[in-house]
PDB file of all heavy atoms in Angstrom:
ATOM      1  N   THR A 583      91.446 -93.723 205.762  1.00  0.00           N
ATOM      2  CA  THR A 583      91.899 -92.412 205.465  1.00  0.00           C
ATOM      3  C   THR A 583      92.087 -92.174 204.006  1.00  0.00           C
ATOM      4  O   THR A 583      92.220 -93.124 203.226  1.00  0.00           O
ATOM      5  CB  THR A 583      93.331 -92.142 206.190  1.00  0.00           C
ATOM      6  OG1 THR A 583      94.272 -93.022 205.595  1.00  0.00           O
ATOM      7  CG2 THR A 583      93.264 -92.343 207.649  1.00  0.00           C
ATOM      8  N   ASP A 584      92.140 -90.912 203.610  1.00  0.00           N
ATOM      9  CA  ASP A 584      92.422 -90.546 202.179  1.00  0.00           C
ATOM     10  C   ASP A 584      93.952 -90.474 202.034  1.00  0.00           C
ATOM     11  O   ASP A 584      94.745 -90.607 203.040  1.00  0.00           O
ATOM     12  CB  ASP A 584      91.667 -89.378 201.743  1.00  0.00           C
ATOM     13  CG  ASP A 584      92.083 -88.063 202.425  1.00  0.00           C
ATOM     14  OD1 ASP A 584      93.138 -88.078 203.149  1.00  0.00           O
ATOM     15  OD2 ASP A 584      91.414 -87.051 202.224  1.00  0.00           O
ATOM     16  N   GLU A 585      94.386 -90.100 200.870  1.00  0.00           N
ATOM     17  CA  GLU A 585      95.856 -90.076 200.633  1.00  0.00           C
ATOM     18  C   GLU A 585      96.548 -89.052 201.493  1.00  0.00           C
ATOM     19  O   GLU A 585      97.723 -89.205 201.744  1.00  0.00           O
ATOM     20  CB  GLU A 585      96.111 -89.605 199.178  1.00  0.00           C
ATOM     21  CG  GLU A 585      95.712 -90.589 198.186  1.00  0.00           C
ATOM     22  CD  GLU A 585      95.682 -90.012 196.736  1.00  0.00           C
ATOM     23  OE1 GLU A 585      96.666 -89.258 196.442  1.00  0.00           O
ATOM     24  OE2 GLU A 585      94.719 -90.237 196.043  1.00  0.00           O
ATOM     25  N   LEU A 586      95.810 -88.046 201.926  1.00  0.00           N
ATOM     26  CA  LEU A 586      96.485 -87.045 202.753  1.00  0.00           C
ATOM     27  C   LEU A 586      96.450 -87.365 204.255  1.00  0.00           C
ATOM     28  O   LEU A 586      96.911 -86.599 205.040  1.00  0.00           O
ATOM     29  CB  LEU A 586      95.839 -85.644 202.458  1.00  0.00           C
ATOM     30  CG  LEU A 586      95.914 -85.125 201.093  1.00  0.00           C
ATOM     31  CD1 LEU A 586      95.029 -83.943 200.890  1.00  0.00           C
ATOM     32  CD2 LEU A 586      97.405 -84.794 200.798  1.00  0.00           C
ATOM     33  N   GLY A 587      95.793 -88.425 204.577  1.00  0.00           N
ATOM     34  CA  GLY A 587      95.715 -88.839 206.010  1.00  0.00           C
ATOM     35  C   GLY A 587      94.442 -88.402 206.694  1.00  0.00           C
ATOM     36  O   GLY A 587      94.291 -88.631 207.877  1.00  0.00           O
ATOM     37  N   TYR A 588      93.552 -87.743 205.983  1.00  0.00           N
ATOM     38  CA  TYR A 588      92.305 -87.312 206.617  1.00  0.00           C
ATOM     39  C   TYR A 588      91.344 -88.480 206.655  1.00  0.00           C
ATOM     40  O   TYR A 588      91.273 -89.287 205.730  1.00  0.00           O
ATOM     41  CB  TYR A 588      91.652 -86.201 205.759  1.00  0.00           C
ATOM     42  CG  TYR A 588      92.414 -84.925 205.854  1.00  0.00           C
ATOM     43  CD1 TYR A 588      93.158 -84.428 204.780  1.00  0.00           C
ATOM     44  CD2 TYR A 588      92.334 -84.066 206.970  1.00  0.00           C
ATOM     45  CE1 TYR A 588      93.830 -83.265 204.835  1.00  0.00           C
ATOM     46  CE2 TYR A 588      93.016 -82.919 207.052  1.00  0.00           C
ATOM     47  CZ  TYR A 588      93.800 -82.460 205.969  1.00  0.00           C
ATOM     48  OH  TYR A 588      94.509 -81.276 206.026  1.00  0.00           O
ATOM     49  N   ASP A 589      90.645 -88.559 207.821  1.00  0.00           N
ATOM     50  CA  ASP A 589      89.680 -89.553 207.996  1.00  0.00           C
ATOM     51  C   ASP A 589      88.581 -89.479 206.956  1.00  0.00           C
ATOM     52  O   ASP A 589      88.090 -88.387 206.704  1.00  0.00           O
ATOM     53  CB  ASP A 589      89.092 -89.311 209.439  1.00  0.00           C
ATOM     54  CG  ASP A 589      88.152 -90.407 209.868  1.00  0.00           C
ATOM     55  OD1 ASP A 589      87.563 -91.137 209.024  1.00  0.00           O
ATOM     56  OD2 ASP A 589      87.998 -90.495 211.103  1.00  0.00           O
ATOM     57  N   MET A 590      88.230 -90.580 206.355  1.00  0.00           N
ATOM     58  CA  MET A 590      87.215 -90.612 205.343  1.00  0.00           C
ATOM     59  C   MET A 590      85.855 -90.289 205.812  1.00  0.00           C
ATOM     60  O   MET A 590      84.941 -89.868 205.102  1.00  0.00           O
ATOM     61  CB  MET A 590      87.133 -91.964 204.636  1.00  0.00           C
ATOM     62  CG  MET A 590      88.314 -92.289 203.706  1.00  0.00           C
ATOM     63  SD  MET A 590      88.636 -90.930 202.504  1.00  0.00           S
ATOM     64  CE  MET A 590      87.311 -91.178 201.364  1.00  0.00           C
ATOM     65  N   LYS A 591      85.649 -90.489 207.132  1.00  0.00           N
ATOM     66  CA  LYS A 591      84.318 -90.307 207.722  1.00  0.00           C
ATOM     67  C   LYS A 591      84.022 -88.890 208.114  1.00  0.00           C
ATOM     68  O   LYS A 591      82.859 -88.521 208.438  1.00  0.00           O
ATOM     69  CB  LYS A 591      84.079 -91.229 208.909  1.00  0.00           C
ATOM     70  CG  LYS A 591      84.056 -92.756 208.482  1.00  0.00           C
ATOM     71  CD  LYS A 591      83.379 -93.610 209.529  1.00  0.00           C
ATOM     72  CE  LYS A 591      84.134 -93.696 210.841  1.00  0.00           C
ATOM     73  NZ  LYS A 591      85.334 -94.488 210.747  1.00  0.00           N
ATOM     74  N   ARG A 592      84.978 -87.954 208.162  1.00  0.00           N
ATOM     75  CA  ARG A 592      84.787 -86.615 208.580  1.00  0.00           C
ATOM     76  C   ARG A 592      85.357 -85.638 207.487  1.00  0.00           C
ATOM     77  O   ARG A 592      86.511 -85.801 207.057  1.00  0.00           O
ATOM     78  CB  ARG A 592      85.591 -86.343 209.872  1.00  0.00           C
ATOM     79  CG  ARG A 592      85.026 -86.970 211.058  1.00  0.00           C
ATOM     80  CD  ARG A 592      83.812 -86.179 211.598  1.00  0.00           C
ATOM     81  NE  ARG A 592      83.406 -86.714 212.953  1.00  0.00           N
ATOM     82  CZ  ARG A 592      82.813 -87.841 213.169  1.00  0.00           C
ATOM     83  NH1 ARG A 592      82.445 -88.608 212.145  1.00  0.00           N
ATOM     84  NH2 ARG A 592      82.465 -88.202 214.428  1.00  0.00           N
ATOM     85  N   ARG A 593      84.557 -84.720 207.180  1.00  0.00           N
ATOM     86  CA  ARG A 593      85.028 -83.748 206.127  1.00  0.00           C
ATOM     87  C   ARG A 593      86.145 -82.908 206.789  1.00  0.00           C
ATOM     88  O   ARG A 593      86.026 -82.401 207.868  1.00  0.00           O
ATOM     89  CB  ARG A 593      83.820 -82.811 205.898  1.00  0.00           C
ATOM     90  CG  ARG A 593      83.926 -82.103 204.577  1.00  0.00           C
ATOM     91  CD  ARG A 593      82.748 -81.083 204.365  1.00  0.00           C
ATOM     92  NE  ARG A 593      81.523 -81.531 204.984  1.00  0.00           N
ATOM     93  CZ  ARG A 593      80.451 -80.775 204.955  1.00  0.00           C
ATOM     94  NH1 ARG A 593      80.413 -79.524 204.456  1.00  0.00           N
ATOM     95  NH2 ARG A 593      79.294 -81.142 205.526  1.00  0.00           N
ATOM     96  N   PRO A 594      87.274 -82.809 206.067  1.00  0.00           N
ATOM     97  CA  PRO A 594      88.355 -82.058 206.621  1.00  0.00           C
ATOM     98  C   PRO A 594      87.986 -80.610 206.894  1.00  0.00           C
ATOM     99  O   PRO A 594      87.130 -80.024 206.149  1.00  0.00           O
ATOM    100  CB  PRO A 594      89.444 -82.087 205.537  1.00  0.00           C
ATOM    101  CG  PRO A 594      89.084 -83.243 204.678  1.00  0.00           C
ATOM    102  CD  PRO A 594      87.670 -83.404 204.795  1.00  0.00           C
ATOM    103  N   ALA A 595      88.462 -80.001 208.022  1.00  0.00           N
ATOM    104  CA  ALA A 595      88.083 -78.673 208.347  1.00  0.00           C
ATOM    105  C   ALA A 595      89.136 -77.958 209.227  1.00  0.00           C
ATOM    106  O   ALA A 595      89.954 -78.693 209.804  1.00  0.00           O
ATOM    107  CB  ALA A 595      86.755 -78.675 209.088  1.00  0.00           C
ATOM    108  N   TRP A 596      89.088 -76.636 209.193  1.00  0.00           N
ATOM    109  CA  TRP A 596      89.901 -75.878 210.163  1.00  0.00           C
ATOM    110  C   TRP A 596      89.166 -75.699 211.416  1.00  0.00           C
ATOM    111  O   TRP A 596      88.393 -74.698 211.671  1.00  0.00           O
ATOM    112  CB  TRP A 596      90.261 -74.537 209.608  1.00  0.00           C
ATOM    113  CG  TRP A 596      91.308 -74.615 208.504  1.00  0.00           C
ATOM    114  CD1 TRP A 596      92.649 -74.621 208.689  1.00  0.00           C
ATOM    115  CD2 TRP A 596      91.127 -74.541 207.080  1.00  0.00           C
ATOM    116  NE1 TRP A 596      93.326 -74.625 207.463  1.00  0.00           N
ATOM    117  CE2 TRP A 596      92.410 -74.561 206.464  1.00  0.00           C
ATOM    118  CE3 TRP A 596      90.001 -74.508 206.214  1.00  0.00           C
ATOM    119  CZ2 TRP A 596      92.636 -74.532 205.086  1.00  0.00           C
ATOM    120  CZ3 TRP A 596      90.179 -74.506 204.834  1.00  0.00           C
ATOM    121  CH2 TRP A 596      91.428 -74.505 204.319  1.00  0.00           C
ATOM    122  N   THR A 597      89.149 -76.671 212.330  1.00  0.00           N
ATOM    123  CA  THR A 597      88.340 -76.586 213.581  1.00  0.00           C
ATOM    124  C   THR A 597      89.102 -75.867 214.629  1.00  0.00           C
ATOM    125  O   THR A 597      88.515 -75.459 215.639  1.00  0.00           O
ATOM    126  CB  THR A 597      88.015 -78.005 213.999  1.00  0.00           C
ATOM    127  OG1 THR A 597      89.146 -78.771 214.071  1.00  0.00           O
ATOM    128  CG2 THR A 597      86.989 -78.702 213.114  1.00  0.00           C
TER     129      THR A 597
END
Side-chain angles (χ1 to χ4, degrees):
Chain A
T583 63
D584 68 9
E585 288 166 48
L586 297 170
Y588 289 106
D589 187 335
M590 287 307 288
K591 292 201 294 288
R592 289 280 192 284
R593 204 185 322 176
W596 284 278
T597 50

